[in-house]
């Protein structure tokens, strides 16, 4: 079984297949992690922005995997359940590590180590997908099906939550039901953050209060019992 890492685009089913879309996103993740490693030297806003870019890519990417790609893998692969569960365990760890990173400042003594631990789990996640899961799907599915999954994954990725929500189920139905409320709350917080960056001030006054209220609302939504439905004990928190 050949990794998808060094296959030609044609072999992957063209740019729109799930294989090519995943590989392109993983390459982008590599570049964003490199930028976060460079900016950690000087810290400040540049590093915060770099880490946010990593988080935004990671959470939308993983959310769409959990609602589109992994259910499809479980339908077609005999080993789909344990294999996707292994990847979901990595996703859960990333959620928890990024939630800790969000609370830490670049000047904290453990910040760099925490960032490297997060990036190591992300690298492991990418390797399992490119070397095991996606080549297995390539063996069993035709180009049309791989492109259809690619389009569905892309659509969900564009409307997915952008922040870590470690308490929510990693599997449908809880995972899918969480999409709408958490996407609205996360993206409202992203808008506030972009406003804060554009005006070059820290989240103070009304903006900071609004951010805290939205974060509190997201925390309350996360804990709704219906959003934990479908969760496996291995990824529950
Ligand atoms: Fe991926
Ligand atoms: Fe993943």
């Amino acid at each position: 079984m050949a990794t998808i890492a060094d296959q030609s685009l044609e072999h992957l089913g063209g740019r729109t297949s799930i294989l090519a879309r995943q590989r392109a996103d993983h390459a982008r993740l590599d570049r964003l992690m490199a930028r976060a490693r460079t900016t950690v030297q000087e810290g400040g806003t540049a590093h915060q922005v770099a880490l946010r870019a990593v988080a935004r890519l990671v959470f939308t990417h993983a959310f769409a995997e959990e609602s589109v790609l992994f259910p499809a893998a479980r339908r077609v692969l005999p080993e789909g359940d344990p294999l996707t569960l292994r990847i979901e365990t990595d996703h859960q760890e990333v959620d928890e590590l990024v939630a800790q990173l969000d609370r830490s400042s670049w000047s904290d003594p453990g910040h760099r180590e925490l960032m490297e631990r997060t990036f190591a789990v992300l690298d492991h996640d990418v390797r399992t997908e490119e070397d095991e899961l996606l080549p297995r799907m390539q063996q069993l599915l035709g180009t049309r099906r791989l492109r259809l999954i690619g389009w569905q994954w892309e659509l969900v990725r564009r409307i997915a939550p952008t922040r870590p929500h470690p308490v929510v189920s990693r599997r449908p139905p809880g995972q899918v039901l969480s999409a709408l409320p958490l996407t609205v709350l996360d993206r409202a917080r992203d808008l506030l953050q972009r406003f804060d960056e554009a005006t070059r001030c820290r989240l103070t006054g009304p903006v900071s209060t609004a951010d805290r209220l939205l974060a509190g609302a997201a925390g309350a939504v996360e804990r709704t019992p219906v959003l934990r439905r479908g969760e496996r004990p291995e990824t529950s928190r």
Side-chain angles (χ1 to χ4, degrees):
M1 189 169 56
T3 173
I4 65 155
D6 21 72
Q7 293 184 39
S8 69
L9 254 187
E10 198 191 336
H11 264 101
L12 298 183
R15 270 176 216 291
T16 57
S17 98
I18 186 62
L19 310 179
R21 287 181 194 271
Q22 280 277 320
R23 192 175 69 181
D25 237 30
H26 294 162
R28 210 177 128 226
L29 173 64
D30 255 352
R31 295 193 291 275
L32 293 175
M33 290 194 297
R35 197 166 85 201
R37 284 190 173 107
T38 312
T39 52
V40 78
Q41 324 283 348
E42 73 251 36
T45 310
H47 182 57
Q48 265 179 0
V49 171
L51 280 182
R52 268 183 221 143
V54 170
R56 192 183 168 97
L57 181 135
V58 163
F59 294 121
T60 52
H61 179 109
F63 190 93
E65 286 176 348
E66 289 168 4
S67 45
V68 173
L69 178 61
F70 298 171
R74 288 193 283 272
R75 281 194 294 274
V76 293
L77 305 180
E79 74 281 32
D81 186 69
L83 181 51
T84 55
L85 186 59
R86 261 204 286 141
I87 304 175
E88 286 162 348
T89 308
D90 275 350
H91 287 187
Q92 180 66 24
E93 200 178 345
V94 169
D95 260 39
E96 291 171 12
L97 287 167
V98 173
Q100 283 181 52
L101 258 182
D102 273 352
R103 290 191 295 269
S104 88
S105 153
W106 69 275
S107 53
D108 291 347
H111 177 83
R112 198 177 290 219
E113 194 201 320
L114 188 57
M115 184 185 80
E116 288 301 340
R117 265 175 59 206
T118 311
F119 290 179
V121 183
L122 285 170
D123 281 336
H124 185 259
D125 178 49
V126 167
R127 292 276 47 88
T128 314
E129 288 170 10
E130 290 197 4
D131 303 344
E132 295 180 55
L133 178 79
L134 296 167
R136 280 292 285 142
M137 293 185 78
Q138 185 181 32
Q139 281 179 330
L140 296 180
L141 298 175
T143 303
R144 252 185 78 190
R145 192 77 190 280
L146 291 170
R147 288 184 184 160
L148 182 66
I149 297 171
W151 283 112
Q152 290 168 335
W153 176 80
E154 182 64 35
L155 182 72
V156 173
R157 190 170 77 104
R158 284 169 189 258
I159 53 167
T162 60
R163 290 165 184 256
H165 298 290
V167 181
V168 171
S169 172
R170 306 221 75 94
R171 289 197 176 187
Q175 194 261 359
V176 173
L177 291 170
S178 75
L180 182 63
L182 292 178
T183 296
V184 170
L185 292 164
D186 284 0
R187 289 177 188 250
R189 292 186 72 198
D190 292 347
L191 273 177
L192 281 177
Q193 226 152 29
R194 278 203 287 278
F195 170 77
D196 177 59
E197 280 157 21
T199 54
R200 293 181 174 277
C201 62
R202 290 194 51 80
L203 287 175
T204 50
V207 175
S208 157
T209 307
D211 186 66
R212 271 204 309 278
L213 284 172
L214 289 168
V221 168
E222 270 185 17
R223 284 173 171 74
T224 313
V226 73
L227 301 190
R228 306 180 95 160
R229 281 175 53 197
E231 185 73 302
R232 294 285 291 265
E234 292 87 343
T235 55
S236 79
R237 192 180 136 190

